[in-house]
Amino acid sequence: MDEQYAIELKNITKTFGSVTANDKVNLKVKSHEILSILGENGSGKTTLMNMIAGIYRPDSGQIFINGKEVQIHSPKDAYDYHIGMIHQHYKLVNVFTAAENIILGTDTSAVIDMKSVKEKINEICSTYGFKLDPDQKIYDMSISQKQTVEIVKVLYKGADVLILDEPTAVLTPQEADALFEVLKNMRKAGKSVIIITHKLNEVMAISDRVTILRKGQYIDTVETSKATIPMLTEMMVGEKISLDIERTDPVNTSDVLKVEGLTCYNREGLKALDNVTFTARRGEILGIAGIAGCGVKELFESIAGIQRVSGGKVTFINSENKDIDITNKSPVGIKRTGAHISFVPEDRLGMGLVGSMGMTGNVMLRTYENGNDPLVHRKEPRTLAEKIKRKLEVVTPGTEYPVRRLSGGNVQKVLVGREISSHPDVLMVAYPVRGLDINSSYAIYNQLNRQKEKGAAVISVIEDLDVILQLCDRILVMNNGRVTGLLDARTTTKEEVGYLMTA
């Protein structure tokens, strides 16, 4: 007799226009298990889970819940089948309390007894090991607390199958460990937990089985205890690749950028940077670690001349060892001082690139002011765009194709490639591999190392603490706009970095 599964997918296919996101995918999810869904960017992981959660409908194929074929047309249908999904971007009302957010969307015509609601929330928290104050406002919560609200909301509505999309992307190691303990408690209680992730170390640490997708197709499901990281990587990519980051020792380092007492306020009038001080050196990679909202966005924008500061000083030190004050200068003003600073912002299309232009046009934006000829020549920018396309394997119909039509990962490749190719003295990169697959990520890491070896000062915000320890020379840790630590990446630990991220 065939085993009955909590969820079973048979030959699920989903297309978007000419793009096939999922191609006859089969998947089986057991009760009492944590299943990881692993795959490169664009492999169809989130699309597949969105069909279980009722956000998309499959073009063809069958979905079975506890052995019975069902049709899931909406998230409400998914909840009726006791399925809930926790997305990367939380859907919470900031001015409401945790309890008020948890009961939003609850189908009831009766007057809500908030005392009973809070009692049920506390019971859920006690059962699974959550720490949550039902009366706390969302705007007063950390990222991990907001995630807890989202998970408790799903459990409150009766979910037996929980789908988490990149649940540790913005968590410290300590917060991730706490989440894993909760998920293990759910497994003991008979829940099915599905995790979409790209972090191989976490797959090995938390899951019972791993399902691998590649280019929209099902590859295999393996027991985690019998798997290795190289084995999973090869299944994801289709070939053996090296996961070693080529960190070299700094050579001929010298100070190139001094930030002293930098203070600024955001648009809401709140202090975003509070007396930030550090020095960046030529021939070195300075990593920045911090949870969302730690102030790194404002820090980079202040150095690049986009955000005005209310206090402090930014000094560029040129090759002749001369100090140049670039505080509150515009990007053009900074460039005219001879300071060559490149910036890859977090907002790729909003700030970094012009979406309606192709790669060639966006490369031209970087070099336009260099020429004295009133006519715009496209030959050299087109050659450079082709080089970036080839080197970073940008998937695009051509270098004139609008970048806004490319996937997020390919947009990131265009932006990082353009800034690296400009041979900067200081290269600031916010989340350089966000949205990139493993192959492309390691290509970017090695490109950052090449910039370091050429004498540039590389300053990079990196989410993955395993990577920041392997790639960087020093680590600047920030929390709430303040510097909480400056560490030697070769001797520190993830735990120490994680502690300082919340200090």
Side-chain angles (χ1 to χ4, degrees):
M1 184 176 178
D2 291 341
E3 181 180 356
Q4 183 171 298
Y5 293 91
I7 294 180
E8 185 172 5
L9 308 183
K10 293 184 177 180
N11 296 315
I12 294 292
T13 296
K14 180 65 180 177
T15 60
F16 297 95
S18 60
V19 177
T20 301
N22 295 122
D23 184 11
K24 297 179 180 177
V25 174
N26 296 294
L27 178 72
K28 294 178 180 179
V29 184
K30 300 176 181 179
S31 298
H32 297 270
E33 85 162 339
I34 299 174
L35 176 71
S36 290
I37 307 294
L38 194 60
E40 295 182 277
N41 180 252
S43 63
K45 306 184 299 293
T46 300
T47 299
L48 189 67
M49 294 301 103
N50 279 336
M51 284 185 278
I52 299 174
I55 296 169
Y56 297 146
R57 293 180 63 182
D59 298 333
S60 61
Q62 299 169 288
I63 300 176
F64 295 85
I65 307 292
N66 295 320
K68 179 182 177 182
E69 185 173 359
V70 300
Q71 301 292 323
I72 304 177
H73 298 156
S74 68
K76 183 181 181 304
D77 287 347
Y79 276 121
D80 290 342
Y81 291 117
H82 305 289
I83 300 168
M85 185 168 179
I86 295 90
H87 299 270
Q88 278 185 274
H89 304 291
Y90 308 141
K91 305 176 188 303
L92 301 171
V93 181
N94 278 338
V95 296
F96 284 6
T97 65
E100 289 166 343
N101 272 277
I102 287 167
I103 63 170
L104 278 178
T106 303
D107 186 14
T108 178
S109 57
V111 176
I112 297 173
D113 180 359
M114 289 304 297
K115 182 180 179 181
S116 298
V117 168
K118 293 174 188 177
E119 287 175 354
K120 183 175 178 181
I121 291 171
N122 288 331
E123 183 182 342
I124 291 171
C125 292
S126 177
T127 299
Y128 299 109
F130 291 110
K131 294 180 181 179
L132 179 66
D133 177 1
D135 292 316
Q136 187 175 359
K137 299 281 190 180
I138 299 300
Y139 59 71
D140 279 335
M141 292 185 176
S142 67
I143 295 294
S144 63
Q145 288 175 314
K146 292 176 182 178
Q147 183 184 71
T148 296
V149 175
E150 288 282 20
I151 297 173
V152 172
K153 187 197 319 184
V154 168
L155 292 170
Y156 185 93
K157 294 179 179 179
D160 291 321
V161 177
L162 289 88
I163 305 167
L164 294 90
D165 192 356
E166 300 285 359
T168 65
V170 291
L171 301 185
T172 66
Q174 290 86 347
E175 290 169 338
D177 289 342
L179 174 63
F180 289 166
E181 288 304 312
V182 168
L183 298 183
K184 290 174 183 176
N185 290 336
M186 290 182 185
R187 176 179 60 191
K188 290 178 185 175
K191 305 290 185 184
S192 301
V193 180
I194 306 172
I195 299 177
I196 305 171
T197 184
H198 68 280
K199 297 182 178 181
L200 292 167
N201 289 333
E202 292 183 355
V203 169
M204 301 299 291
I206 188 64
S207 61
D208 299 299
R209 295 188 303 145
V210 189
T211 291
I212 300 96
L213 301 181
R214 186 169 71 235
K215 296 181 180 179
Q217 295 184 327
Y218 172 83
I219 301 302
D220 200 359
T221 298
V222 298
E223 293 182 22
T224 310
S225 61
K226 298 178 180 178
T228 63
I229 287 179
M231 167 187 164
L232 294 176
T233 302
E234 185 174 351
M235 293 172 73
M236 285 171 59
V237 179
E239 61 184 9
K240 290 184 179 180
I241 63 171
S242 172
L243 297 181
D244 294 326
I245 297 176
E246 303 171 12
R247 176 170 59 189
T248 55
D249 292 329
V251 177
N252 298 325
T253 60
S254 61
D255 294 350
V256 66
L257 189 76
K258 288 192 297 185
V259 175
E260 302 169 278
L262 214 59
T263 300
C264 77
Y265 294 81
N266 60 24
R267 292 178 181 176
E268 288 74 38
L270 301 175
K271 188 177 284 188
L273 295 178
D274 186 4
N275 195 33
V276 172
T277 298
F278 69 92
T279 301
R281 303 168 183 161
R282 289 183 175 86
E284 179 186 77
I285 298 180
L286 176 66
I288 301 183
I291 58 178
C294 68
V296 71
K297 176 179 181 291
E298 291 81 5
L299 175 62
F300 276 8
E301 291 181 2
S302 297
I303 295 171
I306 299 168
Q307 164 86 45
R308 291 192 66 81
V309 301
S310 57
K313 186 177 182 182
V314 181
T315 304
F316 175 77
I317 305 165
N318 67 15
S319 58
E320 298 174 355
N321 207 32
K322 179 182 178 182
D323 288 1
I324 301 172
D325 186 357
I326 60 173
T327 314
N328 281 333
K329 289 187 181 295
S330 68
V332 173
I334 291 173
K335 188 174 182 180
R336 287 173 179 166
T337 68
H340 194 173
I341 298 176
S342 288
F343 174 36
V344 177
E346 182 178 353
D347 186 356
R348 296 177 283 218
L349 286 176
M351 290 179 62
L353 300 169
V354 178
S356 59
M357 289 183 176
M359 290 180 64
T360 300
N362 277 286
V363 167
M364 287 173 63
L365 292 176
R366 199 72 175 84
T367 58
Y368 176 70
E369 289 190 353
N370 293 345
N372 298 315
D373 194 329
L375 297 177
V376 177
H377 299 283
R378 299 178 66 86
K379 183 177 179 180
E380 288 186 11
R382 185 181 291 114
T383 300
L384 180 54
E386 289 287 355
K387 183 178 178 181
I388 294 170
K389 177 177 179 288
R390 183 175 61 256
K391 197 168 188 177
L392 295 181
E393 298 181 348
V394 180
V395 179
T396 175
T399 57
E400 307 301 324
Y401 188 77
V403 295
R404 70 164 179 261
R405 297 183 183 177
L406 303 181
S407 70
N410 284 301
V411 170
Q412 182 76 331
K413 291 180 187 179
V414 173
L415 182 52
V416 172
R418 184 190 71 181
E419 295 304 311
I420 285 176
S421 68
S422 65
H423 309 297
D425 295 307
V426 178
L427 173 63
M428 299 188 299
V429 191
Y431 310 105
V433 301
R434 180 175 283 175
L436 299 188
D437 56 42
I438 288 179
N439 263 331
S440 299
S441 295
Y442 279 78
I444 293 292
Y445 297 146
N446 290 326
Q447 284 297 316
L448 296 182
N449 244 323
R450 297 293 84 77
Q451 292 299 303
K452 161 188 163 179
E453 291 168 359
K454 291 177 181 178
V458 180
I459 310 173
S460 184
V461 190
I462 297 174
E463 293 170 308
D464 191 326
L465 294 189
D466 287 309
V467 169
I468 206 170
L469 292 174
Q470 294 175 54
L471 176 67
C472 301
D473 299 295
R474 293 184 299 149
I475 302 172
L476 184 78
V477 189
M478 294 186 64
N479 183 33
N480 288 327
R482 297 177 295 107
V483 173
T484 55
L486 183 61
L487 306 170
D488 184 335
R490 289 171 172 80
T491 59
T492 190
T493 63
K494 279 201 304 182
E495 290 70 25
E496 184 178 13
V497 176
Y499 171 76
L500 290 171
M501 286 167 67
T502 56

